Amino acid sequence: MHIARSGRGVAASAATVALVAAALAATSQAGATTAAPAGVPHTFAQPAVAGHSLVHGVASPLPIEQCQAKWHINCYNPLQYRTAYNLNPLYKKGITGKGRTIVIVDSFGSPTVQHDLDVYSKQFGLPSTKVNVVKWGNVPPFDPKNSDMTGWAGETTLDVEMAHAVAPDAKIVLVETAVAETEGTTGLPEMMSAEKSMIDHGVGDVISQSFGATENTFPGFDKGDFSSIKKLRYAFEDAQRKHVTVLASSGDGGATDAMADGKTFYKYRVNSWPSSDPLVTSIGGTQLHLNDKGQRVKPDSVYNDNGAGGGGQSHVFTRPSFQDGVKNVVGTRRGTPDISMAAAVNGGAWVYGSYDPTATGWDVSGGTSEASPLFSGIVALADQVAGHRVGDINAALYTLLKQKNPGVVDVNDGTDNSYQGVTGYKAVNGYDMATGVGTLDALRFVPALAKASRG
């Protein structure tokens, strides 16, 4: 089984900073031996951002026009995102994510994540924040010559900087897990155990997962036995009880996704987990069309370049009740995504990294592994407005769609997420399996989500 995004391990280290240390006082190094429920598959994790970054090691971010001239793509900074998603009026009201915590889970992490966030923040005039790192399991020393580790460091950097860009005053907890280099030994069980521990110890209001594995690659799938997936849901069930919001990238394979080798794609429509789980909010991808001020020059499209926004019907989960109102689209199955944010590489995000001494500088990255942390910031803002965790937001999203709330912005330009020869789904009026309910206008969406969610 191939995991196309991030992984996590076990037990807080002595270096865990005060915020997490207090909450994890009961979690000793012995926790690293805590086993996941028996019978769950072990799998190899690989960062989703790999292959979705076309620009590397640039000395400084460039204007859109220069990006178009040099690389034939648009490239956006967080100030442009803030305008595009109408975030600035919220910040002026003091809604910045203050008092809320975002948990990000990534294999290996990055040894320079704090420094890089500080550089990123300074570049764009943002306040920086302390990244609280939790090492889960025996995380090996970072080796910049190890492409697996540098790939994960790139994912980590993207996740942290995107979450911070949207919710600048939210606390960030980065959970780094130890994933062995040998394929088939570690992965999803470690991630789920790490997440459950964070939830049980009260660490985090929203969890962003930039990883996924095609449902078809799980043991037993071909025989109609979905127990290997269902035995991994314990963290999400725990999150629902504790009102923690769980997000997952919908994938970068359009209506298809990667086979077990992680390189070739299924020739028919498939879906990926955890995005397909009804206990998770699936975050799809759009392409923004902005000018240098961050204003739209035309409506958003479906992300479909160097990958495509994942979406379609789950073959494991039946339609959850919150999607009954869109059953004419999803049929009898769980449909993904639920909502979408920026993910296109042509329109990718400027990210700063120094974990690789041979490529220190600014990159432009995309993929739905960008969209999930962006949306985690939105949830942190909604938590602040609500004064409590908004929890599982899926029912609220579809209620807002039904009410035609102006915070939900339809993506309906007719573009699609066809990819690798597999016909996808078009962005049409209302819900579709290319972008979900669409995208958002934060000024209207954040308070509406805070009000609609039970918490």
Side-chain angles (χ1 to χ4, degrees), residues 26 38 83 87 126 136 163 228 240 244 257 265 275 278 296 316 336 379 381 396 415 423 428 437:
T83 296
L87 284 157
L126 313 179
W136 189 258
S228 59
Q240 188 175 55
V244 174
D257 215 330
F265 287 78
S275 166
R296 283 177 173 78
V316 174
T336 62
V379 174
L381 300 181
T415 53
T423 301
V428 296
V437 301

Side-chain angles (χ1 to χ4, degrees), residues 123-153:
Q123 174 70 36
F124 301 113
L126 313 179
S128 195
T129 191
K130 176 69 175 176
V131 181
N132 300 284
V133 178
V134 177
K135 293 187 181 296
W136 189 258
N138 187 22
V139 181
F142 188 80
D143 178 4
K145 296 181 180 179
N146 181 321
S147 61
D148 199 22
M149 288 189 173
T150 56
W152 277 112

Side-chain angles (χ1 to χ4, degrees), residues 149-348:
M149 288 189 173
T150 56
W152 277 112
E155 178 66 65
T156 299
T157 304
L158 176 67
D159 290 347
V160 169
E161 292 177 7
M162 292 304 99
H164 180 65
V166 174
D169 286 334
K171 292 182 173 67
I172 295 177
V173 175
L174 171 64
V175 185
E176 302 176 348
T177 60
V179 176
E181 296 175 30
T182 305
E183 186 167 351
T185 58
T186 57
L188 285 168
E190 289 70 24
M191 300 179 209
M192 296 302 109
S193 293
E195 291 180 14
K196 186 176 188 302
S197 182
M198 296 298 106
I199 295 163
D200 287 346
H201 289 89
V203 179
D205 303 303
V206 54
I207 298 174
S208 180
Q209 305 173 109
S210 287
F211 56 82
T214 308
E215 291 176 337
N216 307 54
T217 63
F218 281 81
F221 179 91
D222 56 345
K223 298 177 182 177
D225 176 7
F226 306 140
S227 60
S228 59
I229 289 180
K230 293 184 176 180
K231 287 177 180 176
L232 285 168
R233 305 183 73 212
Y234 56 91
F236 305 153
E237 292 164 346
D238 199 30
Q240 188 175 55
R241 287 190 294 269
K242 302 292 179 61
H243 304 300
V244 174
T245 310
V246 183
L247 314 176
S249 304
S250 69
D252 300 326
T256 182
D257 215 330
M259 301 180 76
D261 63 7
K263 298 175 182 178
T264 53
F265 287 78
Y266 286 92
K267 298 300 183 184
Y268 47 86
R269 292 172 172 178
V270 299
N271 211 315
S272 66
W273 186 89
S275 166
S276 65
D277 201 300
L279 295 176
V280 171
T281 299
S282 173
I283 312 299
T286 58
Q287 180 179 34
L288 298 179
H289 309 281
L290 309 177
N291 60 24
D292 281 316
K293 293 181 180 180
Q295 300 164 329
R296 283 177 173 78
V297 295
K298 67 176 183 177
D300 297 4
S301 303
V302 179
Y303 152 46
N304 197 335
D305 64 87
N306 298 96
Q313 293 174 306
S314 169
H315 291 85
V316 174
F317 298 100
T318 56
R319 185 185 70 241
S321 59
F322 61 79
Q323 288 192 317
D324 284 350
V326 295
K327 62 184 178 182
N328 61 316
V329 180
V330 303
T332 60
R333 315 305 303 174
R334 156 65 159 145
T336 62
D338 294 308
I339 194 168
S340 298
M341 291 191 78
V345 179
N346 181 4

Side-chain angles (χ1 to χ4, degrees), residues 73-92:
I73 63 171
N74 290 325
C75 47
Y76 302 136
N77 65 47
L79 304 182
Q80 292 162 333
Y81 280 157
R82 288 174 163 203
T83 296
Y85 289 114
N86 205 12
L87 284 157
N88 292 316
L90 291 174
Y91 302 147
K92 290 179 181 177

